[in-house]
Amino acid sequence: MILTVTLNPSIDVSYPLEHLKIDTVNRVKNVRKTAGGKGLNVSRVIHMLDHDLTATGFIGGYFGKWLENQLDRDGIAHDFLPIDAETRSSIAMLHDGGKQTEILEAGPTITPEDAQKFLDHFDKLLDQADLLTISGSMPQGLPEDYYTQMIAHAGAKNVKVLLDTSGATLKSALEAPVKPLLIKPNEEELAGLLNREVDKTDYAALKQDLQDPIFDGVDWIVVSLGSAGAFVKHQDKFYHAAIPKIQVVNPVGSGDSTLAGLAMGIHDGKSDEDIMKTAMTTGMLNTMEAETGFVNPTKFDTYFAKVTIENY
Ligand code: ADP
């Protein structure tokens, strides 16, 4: 089973508006509300491609109940730790020909008691898991090394960890003795980790960048490059995964879909080439749908066949 972690899930509300008017009323007809937070995007894609998973994290209040109902409706198994505070909402206004203005609630502050309770809950879930994905930023109240603690718990039970986060939490995970199996930094996150500029179009330079000692002990580093695919390091091998030109409808959540593909490929014990092809396909399929963290499985084989992997 794949265990997906979304510590700060969210009800994602999308408001399409022809024009966003400031300091007055905006009326919206077609509101879309989905179970969000990066880890739940990952979960939806894994589920749509027929793999077993359980989604976990903190959940609270009436909004939390609504979110769990959505997951039940979609047939996505979940086992969240209930907390007293309400789960957050995130609002995205899509307006003025392609502009996106977002209002993101910080969400609940986790108490030290709930932080400890979750680790105990998580330990039980780890007993049924062979692979774990951790996505997104952490809610307020948790220590910076909380993901690092979770990775150590997973390591103690031989559960592989795929980590998609940024900033101080990612840095903390790379400095810890038990490393994640895979990280998925983008250009900006890579530059932040290395404290220097990174040019994602220069693959020879990227190859050097990924050999920095900061990454020692991390098996897989996947640098996703949007329409240019991804540059990948697996142990001492380097690859460029190239993808065809496609019609993009909504790229939001592509990185999460890519992580879902990596999780399924690694979980299934596929070859490097097939792991990367799966991940590029799930990323592409997400961009072709209006909904975030959503893929059309009937298109999988066609696009999988169009991904090419080059050794670098
Ligand atoms: P992130 O959301 O983490 O920044 P990317 O934008 O790099 O991630 O997208 C992740 C993956 O989704 C890419 O590696 C690719 O497979 C697919 N993808 C994203 N944007 C495009 C695009 N414009 N055209 C084709 N595929 C895309």
Side-chain angles (χ1 to χ4, degrees):
M1 187 260 282
I2 298 174
L3 183 62
T4 64
V5 170
T6 317
L7 290 189
N8 202 6
S10 154
I11 298 179
D12 287 349
V13 184
S14 132
Y15 292 147
L17 293 165
E18 202 150 303
H19 172 56
L20 175 65
K21 294 176 280 180
I22 305 295
D23 201 22
T24 185
V25 173
N26 292 271
R27 292 187 193 278
V28 198
K29 280 200 196 114
N30 303 313
V31 180
R32 198 182 345 229
K33 296 187 181 170
T34 46
K38 287 164 70 67
L40 289 182
N41 296 336
V42 175
S43 308
R44 202 155 38 240
V45 172
I46 290 176
H47 175 70
M48 294 181 106
L49 290 166
D50 276 338
H51 279 64
D52 277 343
L53 78 120
T54 299
T56 191
F58 297 100
I59 206 140
Y62 289 106
F63 291 133
K65 275 274 162 285
W66 184 90
L67 211 147
E68 286 181 313
N69 285 342
Q70 287 297 106
L71 295 175
D72 288 339
R73 186 204 62 182
D74 295 343
I76 297 174
H78 56 86
D79 197 345
F80 281 82
L81 183 81
I83 56 170
D84 286 337
E86 285 286 341
T87 287
R88 65 187 174 141
S89 300
S90 306
I91 296 171
M93 289 167 278
L94 313 164
H95 60 97
D96 299 279
K99 289 196 177 139
Q100 182 159 335
T101 303
E102 298 189 24
I103 300 190
L104 307 179
E105 291 178 25
T109 300
I110 308 300
T111 62
E113 296 74 37
D114 281 341
Q116 184 53 50
K117 258 195 212 167
F118 179 77
L119 286 179
D120 298 339
H121 176 74
F122 176 64
D123 261 335
K124 288 188 200 119
L125 291 172
L126 282 174
D127 288 334
Q128 303 147 46
D130 28 50
L131 187 142
L132 166 71
T133 68
I134 303 179
S135 307
S137 55
M138 292 192 299
Q140 305 169 92
L142 295 176
E144 212 161 70
D145 70 343
Y146 196 71
Y147 280 161
T148 303
Q149 294 181 40
M150 290 172 64
I151 294 167
H153 282 238
K157 299 201 175 198
N158 282 322
V159 176
K160 301 179 176 101
V161 183
L162 279 53
L163 176 69
D164 185 11
T165 188
S166 56
T169 24
L170 176 56
K171 210 156 183 229
S172 156
L174 294 178
E175 283 164 358
V178 184
K179 314 281 180 192
L181 179 82
L182 178 148
I183 57 170
K184 199 191 75 55
N186 60 23
E187 184 182 31
E188 201 186 324
E189 287 154 2
L190 205 53
L193 285 172
L194 296 170
N195 260 325
R196 58 168 183 262
E197 299 233 330
V198 166
D199 178 0
K200 67 175 185 181
T201 60
D202 183 345
Y203 299 152
L206 272 181
K207 183 172 174 175
Q208 284 301 319
D209 289 337
L210 299 190
Q211 292 176 73
D212 191 281
I214 193 172
F215 302 117
D216 283 356
V218 179
D219 261 26
W220 285 90
I221 309 171
V222 178
V223 183
S224 64
L225 306 168
S227 59
F231 191 80
V232 181
K233 175 177 190 277
H234 181 212
Q235 293 170 345
D236 53 0
K237 300 183 290 282
F238 294 83
Y239 306 95
H240 175 237
I243 56 179
K245 205 166 169 45
I246 54 170
Q247 192 74 38
V248 174
V249 178
N250 170 22
V252 181
S254 309
D256 304 332
S257 307
T258 301
L259 193 73
L262 291 165
M264 290 183 283
I266 292 173
H267 176 267
D268 295 349
K270 294 268 165 67
S271 64
D272 284 10
E273 184 164 337
D274 282 0
I275 290 168
M276 289 182 276
K277 284 186 174 180
T278 304
M280 291 300 98
T281 306
T282 48
M284 279 190 286
L285 294 185
N286 175 75
T287 69
M288 297 162 81
E289 304 293 324
E291 278 181 68
T292 298
F294 203 88
V295 296
N296 178 347
T298 63
K299 292 184 180 166
F300 187 91
D301 292 347
T302 310
Y303 286 89
F304 184 93
K306 291 182 183 179
V307 181
T308 52
I309 308 291
E310 269 174 75
N311 286 297
Y312 208 88

